[in-house]
Amino acid sequence: MDDYQDYRLFQELSLLLDHADRLVLRQFRLNTLQYNALLLLDTDEGWRLTDLSERLLCERSTVTRLVDYLESEGLIARSPDPGDRRSQRVTLTAAGVARRREAQAAIEEAIGRRFSVLSREEERQLIAMLKRLRAVVSAEIEATTEATSPEASDTLS
Amino acid sequence: MDDYQDYRLFQELSLLLDHADRLVLRQFRLNTLQYNALLLLDTDEGWRLTDLSERLLCERSTVTRLVDYLESEGLIARSPDPGDRRSQRVTLTAAGVARRREAQAAIEEAIGRRFSVLSREEERQLIAMLKRLRAVVSAEIEATTEATSPEASDTLS
DNA sequence: CGCAATTTGTTGCGATTGCAACTGTTGCGA
DNA sequence: TCGCAACAGTTGCAATCGCAACAAATTGCG
């Protein structure tokens, strides 16, 4: 039963990776979430805020403030959705493209250096294991949250 | 170059694991950091706050507030260090032992369920890879932080 | 000894985020 | 068409945490 050792190691590595990323991204006035958002965005197709929140695994309110910040930095632009007045489309500006390119170069250099301690075969195994774990934990979260919030169950109503 | 896929997967799994842990620990009025602190503490030997912060990978100020909270919950006790009037020793109370036992049972049940998707051999490999990654990232952080803060370098002074 | 540097813990402040409540919009069924 | 549920985005509030500044205590060096 080395489960707990896995868990502690994973937790510690998460903290370290997040801290290391912060140090890299700080130069570009971005945090991890903001950077991940820039990676998703594009100059053509705009993302809706709700879709961003689902992809980034955070609340819609967090995306509102995230977009507020990136907009104030001139990196993205909000535009009304042509088909739905409730929605907004978020696209990258030229400055956003530039900032993303700089940050991406720095981050990917760091990531490559970190993962260079793994062989190609090990990476393949790691990815497979992480995917299986992700599926299990996703299911666990879904089960507990829908057990808490009553939602539309299959009982009458 | 699947480094980036590793990275994204790892990041996503971190978020999911943290969220799942929160859901489990919420019942015990603890967050992840508070739980990890309880795990370290003991009824006999007391920990100094600074040592806790190093072990928990967080700032001393965070430990101050963490200890404030756990003390207000009656789970731990501060006592003066006999040998150094600056220091305090933090020990578990009986209530702390009880709360830790309950939370630990719940968390370890969850962890065991999550990691049950890995074979014993895979777990062994995972641990080995995580340890190597931890070493690399630790070194990276140490290098960048000591490059930022001038510290006592090896040059004259 | 005497004073400067270091260490320990605390506080103020700002940044980040989740949750709940809210406004305005859309879609659907009676 | 009306009304209501669902949805998109926002805001208020509280919790959490890092960083910098600080007071008190200790250490170490001249």
Side-chain angles (χ1 to χ4, degrees):
Chain A
M1 167 94 68
D2 283 274
D3 292 340
Y4 198 69
Q5 195 178 351
D6 283 326
Y7 169 76
R8 288 291 298 156
L9 257 176
F10 200 96
Q11 212 177 34
E12 191 172 334
L13 187 51
S14 300
L15 288 175
L16 292 173
L17 277 175
D18 190 62
H19 189 54
D21 286 344
R22 267 175 207 283
L23 293 178
V24 172
L25 291 173
R26 180 172 300 170
Q27 325 164 41
F28 307 104
R29 305 167 54 87
L30 296 172
N31 65 26
T32 309
L33 191 64
Q34 291 155 1
Y35 171 72
N36 285 331
L38 285 188
L39 281 190
L40 290 177
L41 294 174
D42 194 285
T43 51
D44 309 331
E45 288 291 325
W47 280 68
R48 301 185 321 141
L49 300 206
T50 296
D51 295 336
L52 273 177
S53 81
E54 287 176 6
R55 187 71 170 70
L56 295 171
L57 297 179
C58 67
E59 291 292 318
R60 291 198 311 275
S61 59
T62 300
V63 173
T64 292
R65 290 181 277 251
L66 165 77
V67 168
D68 284 346
Y69 172 75
L70 292 178
E71 193 177 29
S72 76
E73 288 275 305
L75 305 181
I76 64 171
R78 278 179 164 104
S79 50
D81 186 301
D84 190 334
R85 276 184 298 172
R86 291 173 302 181
S87 300
Q88 300 177 8
R89 296 290 174 164
V90 178
T91 53
L92 270 189
T93 65
V97 173
R99 184 84 67 91
R100 181 178 74 176
R101 188 173 47 238
E102 300 166 22
Q104 195 169 11
I107 277 289
E108 291 188 348
E109 192 274 335
I111 294 172
R113 203 159 9 81
R114 295 169 195 161
F115 283 93
S116 67
V117 296
L118 300 184
S119 72
R120 213 159 273 276
E121 173 62 13
E122 285 175 320
E123 264 189 67
R124 199 190 56 73
Q125 293 174 343
L126 180 59
I127 289 174
M129 288 192 273
L130 294 183
K131 280 185 179 171
R132 268 189 285 160
L133 288 171
R134 181 179 57 179
V136 176
V137 180
S138 280
E140 175 186 339
I141 291 175
E142 197 149 344
T144 45
T145 47
E146 86 180 10
T148 307
S149 65
E151 292 299 314
S153 64
D154 52 343
T155 61
L156 58 90
S157 71
Chain B
M1 167 92 69
D2 284 273
D3 291 340
Y4 198 69
Q5 196 178 351
D6 282 327
Y7 169 75
R8 288 291 299 157
L9 259 175
F10 200 96
Q11 213 177 33
E12 190 171 333
L13 187 51
S14 299
L15 288 175
L16 291 174
L17 276 175
D18 191 61
H19 189 55
D21 285 344
R22 268 175 205 283
L23 293 178
V24 172
L25 291 173
R26 180 172 299 169
Q27 325 165 39
F28 307 104
R29 305 167 55 86
L30 296 173
N31 66 24
T32 309
L33 191 65
Q34 290 155 0
Y35 171 71
N36 285 331
L38 285 188
L39 281 190
L40 289 177
L41 294 173
D42 194 284
T43 50
D44 309 333
E45 288 291 324
W47 280 68
R48 301 184 322 140
L49 300 205
T50 296
D51 295 336
L52 273 178
S53 81
E54 287 177 6
R55 187 71 169 71
L56 295 171
L57 297 179
C58 67
E59 292 292 317
R60 292 199 310 274
S61 59
T62 300
V63 173
T64 292
R65 290 181 276 249
L66 165 78
V67 168
D68 284 345
Y69 172 75
L70 293 177
E71 193 177 29
S72 76
E73 288 275 304
L75 306 180
I76 63 172
R78 278 179 164 104
S79 51
D81 186 301
D84 190 331
R85 277 183 297 175
R86 292 172 303 181
S87 300
Q88 301 177 9
R89 295 291 174 162
V90 178
T91 52
L92 270 188
T93 64
V97 172
R99 184 85 65 93
R100 181 178 75 177
R101 188 174 46 237
E102 299 167 22
Q104 194 168 11
I107 278 288
E108 292 189 348
E109 191 274 335
I111 294 172
R113 203 161 6 84
R114 295 170 196 161
F115 283 93
S116 68
V117 296
L118 301 185
S119 71
R120 212 158 275 274
E121 173 61 12
E122 286 175 320
E123 263 190 68
R124 200 190 56 73
Q125 293 174 343
L126 180 60
I127 289 174
M129 288 192 271
L130 295 183
K131 280 185 179 172
R132 268 190 285 162
L133 287 170
R134 181 179 58 179
V136 176
V137 180
S138 280
E140 175 186 340
I141 291 175
E142 198 150 343
T144 44
T145 47
E146 87 180 9
T148 307
S149 64
E151 290 301 315
S153 64
D154 52 342
T155 62
L156 57 90
S157 70

